[in-house]
Protein backbone atom coordinates (compact mmCIF):
# COMPACT_ATOMS: atom_id res chain seq x y z
CA UNK A 1 0.00 0.00 0.00
CA UNK A 2 1.25 3.47 -0.80
CA UNK A 3 0.88 6.16 1.89
CA UNK A 4 0.65 9.61 0.26
CA UNK A 5 -0.42 13.04 1.33
CA UNK A 6 -3.37 14.08 -0.84
CA UNK A 7 -3.72 17.46 -2.52
CA UNK A 8 -6.90 19.51 -2.03
CA UNK A 9 -8.10 18.51 -5.47
CA UNK A 10 -7.52 14.84 -4.74
CA UNK A 11 -9.48 15.20 -1.50
CA UNK A 12 -12.33 16.79 -3.47
CA UNK A 13 -12.28 13.93 -5.97
CA UNK A 14 -12.48 11.37 -3.14
CA UNK A 15 -15.43 13.23 -1.62
CA UNK A 16 -17.29 13.20 -4.94
CA UNK A 17 -16.65 9.50 -5.53
CA UNK A 18 -17.62 8.66 -1.95
CA UNK A 19 -20.95 10.48 -2.37
CA UNK A 20 -21.75 9.66 -6.00
CA UNK A 21 -19.75 6.58 -7.00
CA UNK A 22 -19.69 4.68 -9.23
CA UNK A 23 -19.01 7.74 -11.32
CA UNK A 24 -17.14 8.22 -14.59
CA UNK A 25 -14.05 10.39 -15.02
CA UNK A 26 -16.09 12.64 -17.30
CA UNK A 27 -18.74 13.20 -14.63
CA UNK A 28 -16.11 13.96 -11.98
CA UNK A 29 -14.47 16.44 -14.36
CA UNK A 30 -17.81 18.18 -14.94
CA UNK A 31 -18.47 18.50 -11.21
CA UNK A 32 -15.06 20.15 -10.76
CA UNK A 33 -15.35 22.27 -13.94
CA UNK A 34 -12.17 20.70 -15.28
CA UNK A 35 -11.28 18.84 -18.45
CA UNK A 36 -10.85 15.06 -18.27
CA UNK A 37 -7.23 15.49 -19.33
CA UNK A 38 -6.55 17.79 -16.39
CA UNK A 39 -8.05 15.27 -14.01
CA UNK A 40 -6.30 12.18 -15.37
CA UNK A 41 -3.07 12.42 -13.29
CA UNK A 42 -5.05 12.77 -10.04
CA UNK A 43 -7.27 9.82 -10.88
CA UNK A 44 -4.19 7.75 -11.74
CA UNK A 45 -2.57 8.62 -8.39
CA UNK A 46 -5.71 7.87 -6.37
CA UNK A 47 -6.18 4.55 -8.15
CA UNK A 48 -2.54 3.53 -7.71
CA UNK A 49 -2.57 4.51 -4.04
CA UNK A 50 -5.64 2.34 -3.54
CA UNK A 51 -8.06 5.11 -2.51
CA UNK A 52 -10.17 4.49 -5.62
CA UNK A 53 -11.03 1.42 -7.64
CA UNK A 54 -11.77 1.78 -11.34
CA UNK A 55 -13.93 -0.53 -13.45
CA UNK A 56 -14.04 -0.22 -17.23
CA UNK A 57 -17.36 1.14 -18.53
CA UNK A 58 -18.68 1.60 -14.96
CA UNK A 59 -16.45 4.21 -13.40
CA UNK A 60 -14.68 4.97 -10.17
CA UNK A 61 -15.59 3.50 -6.76
CA UNK A 62 -14.47 4.60 -3.35
CA UNK A 63 -12.30 1.92 -1.73
CA UNK A 64 -13.69 1.45 1.79
CA UNK A 65 -11.21 -1.35 2.53
CA UNK A 66 -8.47 1.22 2.19
CA UNK A 67 -10.14 3.25 4.99
CA UNK A 68 -9.76 0.29 7.29
CA UNK A 69 -6.07 0.03 6.47
CA UNK A 70 -5.53 3.72 7.11
CA UNK A 71 -7.23 3.45 10.51
CA UNK A 72 -5.07 0.44 11.31
CA UNK A 73 -2.02 2.63 10.72
CA UNK A 74 -3.43 5.47 12.80
CA UNK A 75 -4.47 3.23 15.65
CA UNK A 76 -0.91 2.75 16.87
CA UNK A 77 -0.47 6.53 17.11
CA UNK A 78 -3.18 6.81 19.77
CA UNK A 79 -2.02 7.97 23.19
CA UNK A 80 -1.39 5.55 26.06
CA UNK A 81 -3.40 7.95 28.29
CA UNK A 82 -6.59 7.13 26.38
CA UNK A 83 -6.30 3.36 26.62
CA UNK A 84 -4.50 2.55 29.88
CA UNK A 85 -6.18 0.22 32.37
CA UNK A 86 -6.14 0.47 36.17
CA UNK A 87 -2.94 -0.81 37.70
CA UNK A 88 -3.28 -3.62 40.23
CA UNK A 89 -1.01 -2.68 43.08
CA UNK A 90 0.33 -4.38 46.23
CA UNK A 91 2.59 -3.09 48.99
CA UNK A 92 6.10 -4.48 48.53
CA UNK A 93 5.86 -6.10 51.97
CA UNK A 94 2.86 -8.20 50.81
CA UNK A 95 3.49 -11.95 51.05
CA UNK A 96 3.89 -14.02 47.92
CA UNK A 97 0.86 -16.04 49.03
CA UNK A 98 -1.35 -12.92 49.21
CA UNK A 99 0.03 -11.71 45.89
CA UNK A 100 -1.03 -14.98 44.24
CA UNK A 101 -4.52 -14.60 45.72
CA UNK A 102 -4.61 -11.02 44.44
CA UNK A 103 -3.58 -12.13 40.95
CA UNK A 104 -6.57 -14.50 40.82
CA UNK A 105 -9.03 -12.08 42.42
CA UNK A 106 -8.14 -9.28 40.02
CA UNK A 107 -7.82 -11.63 37.04
CA UNK A 108 -4.52 -10.13 35.86
CA UNK A 109 -1.12 -11.51 34.87
CA UNK A 110 1.06 -8.90 36.55
CA UNK A 111 1.03 -6.98 39.82
CA UNK A 112 2.95 -3.81 40.60
CA UNK A 113 4.56 -3.28 43.98
CA UNK A 114 4.79 0.14 45.61
CA UNK A 115 6.82 1.41 48.56
CA UNK A 116 5.50 3.26 51.60
CA UNK A 117 5.32 6.52 49.63
CA UNK A 118 3.26 4.92 46.87
CA UNK A 119 6.15 4.99 44.39
CA UNK A 120 6.68 2.16 41.93
CA UNK A 121 9.10 -0.35 43.46
CA UNK A 122 8.66 -3.58 41.49
CA UNK A 123 6.87 -5.77 38.96
CA UNK A 124 5.65 -9.25 39.85
CA UNK A 125 4.59 -11.44 36.97
CA UNK A 126 2.82 -14.79 36.85
CA UNK A 127 6.09 -16.57 36.21
CA UNK A 128 7.84 -14.83 39.12
CA UNK A 129 5.09 -16.18 41.40
CA UNK A 130 5.06 -19.66 39.87
CA UNK A 131 8.84 -19.92 40.13
CA UNK A 132 8.67 -18.98 43.79
CA UNK A 133 5.72 -21.27 44.46
CA UNK A 134 7.60 -24.36 43.27
CA UNK A 135 10.85 -23.30 44.95
CA UNK A 136 9.70 -22.16 48.38
CA UNK A 137 7.46 -23.56 51.10
CA UNK A 138 7.22 -20.32 53.00
CA UNK A 139 4.91 -18.32 50.77
CA UNK A 140 3.07 -16.70 53.71
CA UNK A 141 6.28 -15.23 55.11
CA UNK A 142 8.17 -14.31 51.94
CA UNK A 143 7.54 -10.69 50.84
CA UNK A 144 7.14 -9.94 47.13
CA UNK A 145 10.04 -7.46 47.40
CA UNK A 146 12.40 -10.46 47.41
CA UNK A 147 11.17 -11.91 44.12
CA UNK A 148 10.03 -8.88 42.09
CA UNK A 149 11.85 -7.16 39.23
CA UNK A 150 13.00 -3.91 40.85
CA UNK A 151 13.71 -0.34 39.94
CA UNK A 152 15.75 0.75 38.00
CA UNK A 153 15.20 -2.37 35.84
CA UNK A 154 11.51 -1.72 35.24
CA UNK A 155 10.45 -0.77 31.73
CA UNK A 156 7.84 1.96 32.04
CA UNK A 157 5.74 4.10 29.73
CA UNK A 158 4.28 7.59 30.15
CA UNK A 159 0.70 8.65 29.37
CA UNK A 160 1.68 10.94 26.47
CA UNK A 161 3.54 8.15 24.65
CA UNK A 162 1.80 6.20 21.86
CA UNK A 163 0.44 2.67 21.66
CA UNK A 164 3.13 2.07 19.02
CA UNK A 165 5.85 2.93 21.55
CA UNK A 166 4.12 0.68 24.10
CA UNK A 167 3.88 -2.20 21.62
CA UNK A 168 7.59 -1.86 20.78
CA UNK A 169 8.61 -1.89 24.45
CA UNK A 170 6.46 -4.97 25.11
CA UNK A 171 7.87 -6.91 22.18
CA UNK A 172 11.50 -5.80 22.44
CA UNK A 173 11.68 -6.60 26.16
CA UNK A 174 9.64 -9.84 25.98
CA UNK A 175 7.20 -8.69 28.64
CA UNK A 176 3.42 -8.70 28.93
CA UNK A 177 2.78 -5.43 30.68
CA UNK A 178 4.08 -1.90 31.20
CA UNK A 179 3.37 0.29 34.21
CA UNK A 180 2.11 3.69 33.06
CA UNK A 181 3.91 6.24 35.22
CA UNK A 182 4.54 9.89 35.91
CA UNK A 183 8.00 10.77 37.14
CA UNK A 184 8.04 12.52 40.50
CA UNK A 185 9.44 16.02 39.99
CA UNK A 186 13.17 16.34 40.56
CA UNK A 187 13.52 12.68 41.54
CA UNK A 188 15.12 10.52 38.87
CA UNK A 189 13.74 6.98 38.60
CA UNK A 190 10.96 7.71 41.09
CA UNK A 191 7.53 7.17 39.65
CA UNK A 192 3.88 7.39 40.57
CA UNK A 193 1.74 4.66 39.02
CA UNK A 194 -1.16 5.89 36.92
CA UNK A 195 -2.10 2.80 34.91
CA UNK A 196 -0.99 -0.25 33.00
CA UNK A 197 -0.72 -1.21 29.35
CA UNK A 198 -0.76 -4.90 28.49
CA UNK A 199 -0.84 -6.89 25.29
CA UNK A 200 -4.58 -7.25 25.95
CA UNK A 201 -5.01 -3.45 26.22
CA UNK A 202 -3.41 -3.03 22.82
CA UNK A 203 -5.47 -5.79 21.21
CA UNK A 204 -8.66 -4.33 22.72
CA UNK A 205 -7.80 -0.82 21.48
CA UNK A 206 -7.27 -2.25 18.01
CA UNK A 207 -10.67 -3.97 18.03
CA UNK A 208 -12.45 -0.89 19.38
CA UNK A 209 -10.98 1.37 16.71
CA UNK A 210 -11.60 -1.05 13.85
CA UNK A 211 -15.19 -1.73 15.00
CA UNK A 212 -15.91 1.97 15.34
CA UNK A 213 -14.68 2.72 11.84
CA UNK A 214 -16.41 -0.17 10.12
CA UNK A 215 -19.71 0.32 12.01
P1 LIG B 1 5.17 -13.88 32.56
O1 LIG B 1 5.98 -14.06 33.80
O2 LIG B 1 3.72 -14.27 32.75
O3 LIG B 1 5.81 -14.50 31.35
P2 LIG B 1 6.19 -11.32 31.67
O4 LIG B 1 6.67 -11.87 30.35
O5 LIG B 1 5.56 -9.97 31.68
O6 LIG B 1 5.12 -12.28 32.32
O7 LIG B 1 7.40 -11.32 32.69
C1 LIG B 1 8.65 -11.91 32.45
C2 LIG B 1 9.68 -11.34 33.42
O8 LIG B 1 9.88 -9.96 33.15
C3 LIG B 1 9.29 -11.44 34.89
O9 LIG B 1 10.43 -11.78 35.66
C4 LIG B 1 8.82 -10.03 35.26
O10 LIG B 1 9.11 -9.67 36.60
C5 LIG B 1 9.60 -9.17 34.30
N1 LIG B 1 8.80 -8.00 33.85
C6 LIG B 1 7.50 -7.96 33.54
N2 LIG B 1 7.11 -6.72 33.21
C7 LIG B 1 8.22 -5.94 33.30
C8 LIG B 1 8.49 -4.55 33.09
N3 LIG B 1 7.54 -3.70 32.69
N4 LIG B 1 9.75 -4.11 33.28
C9 LIG B 1 10.73 -4.96 33.67
N5 LIG B 1 10.54 -6.27 33.90
C10 LIG B 1 9.30 -6.77 33.73
Amino acid sequence: MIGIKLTNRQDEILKIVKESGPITGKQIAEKLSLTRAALRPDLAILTMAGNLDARPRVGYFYNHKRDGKRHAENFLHQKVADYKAHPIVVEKSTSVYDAIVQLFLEDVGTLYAVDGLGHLAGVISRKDLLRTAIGSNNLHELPVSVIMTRMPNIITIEPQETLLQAAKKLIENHIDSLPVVKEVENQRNTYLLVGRITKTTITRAYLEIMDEKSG
Side-chain angles (χ1 to χ4, degrees):
M1 181 179 42
I2 311 165
I4 53 162
K5 175 136 178 43
L6 300 183
T7 63
N8 287 346
R9 187 194 282 173
Q10 288 161 358
D11 272 333
E12 272 183 80
I13 296 171
L14 279 185
K15 201 164 152 245
I16 291 171
V17 179
K18 211 171 184 179
E19 281 165 9
S20 318
I23 181 168
T24 63
K26 187 164 167 274
Q27 288 167 321
I28 300 172
E30 278 164 13
K31 281 186 187 272
L32 290 172
S33 308
L34 291 167
T35 63
R36 277 210 62 188
L39 206 59
R40 204 163 284 134
D42 287 321
L43 287 173
I45 287 170
L46 290 172
T47 312
M48 269 192 306
N51 299 78
L52 295 184
D53 276 336
R55 279 198 212 136
R57 285 187 295 280
V58 180
Y60 292 91
F61 293 85
Y62 186 75
N63 186 354
H64 289 279
K65 271 192 242 147
R66 165 65 203 246
D67 257 4
K69 283 179 187 163
R70 196 177 313 141
H71 291 308
E73 287 165 3
N74 288 342
F75 130 80
L76 285 170
H77 295 98
Q78 304 286 322
K79 295 277 179 269
V80 161
D82 298 327
Y83 290 92
K84 64 184 166 47
H86 281 298
I88 307 302
V89 177
V90 293
E91 248 284 327
K92 65 178 187 174
S93 58
T94 306
S95 72
V96 169
Y97 185 93
D98 286 343
I100 294 173
V101 171
Q102 197 70 5
L103 196 84
F104 279 102
L105 285 179
E106 298 286 354
D107 194 18
V108 289
T110 310
L111 301 170
Y112 301 132
V114 292
D115 63 18
L117 296 170
H119 298 149
L120 178 63
V123 173
I124 310 133
S125 79
R126 254 181 297 237
K127 238 179 271 159
D128 295 331
L129 293 169
L130 268 177
R131 193 185 304 114
T132 312
I134 58 170
S136 162
N137 49 19
N138 200 11
L139 302 182
H140 287 279
E141 302 298 325
L142 192 64
V144 288
S145 57
V146 174
I147 67 153
M148 67 193 187
T149 300
R150 282 176 204 80
M151 288 303 292
N153 299 324
I154 303 177
I155 317 289
T156 59
I157 191 131
E158 302 209 355
Q160 70 277 11
E161 292 186 72
T162 62
L163 291 184
L164 178 63
Q165 285 165 308
K168 277 189 182 155
K169 286 185 182 185
L170 289 170
I171 295 299
E172 284 168 6
N173 294 287
H174 307 279
I175 49 179
D176 291 348
S177 102
L178 292 168
V180 182
V181 297
K182 283 189 178 157
E183 196 166 27
V184 177
E185 242 177 82
N186 303 324
Q187 294 188 51
R188 256 191 95 235
N189 280 340
T190 308
Y191 298 108
L192 282 173
L193 253 176
V194 296
R196 77 189 146 100
I197 288 281
T198 65
K199 288 176 178 169
T200 307
T201 324
I202 291 183
T203 312
R204 188 178 297 124
Y206 178 81
L207 276 183
E208 267 177 32
I209 290 164
M210 298 310 280
D211 271 358
E212 217 171 83
K213 303 303 175 190
S214 63

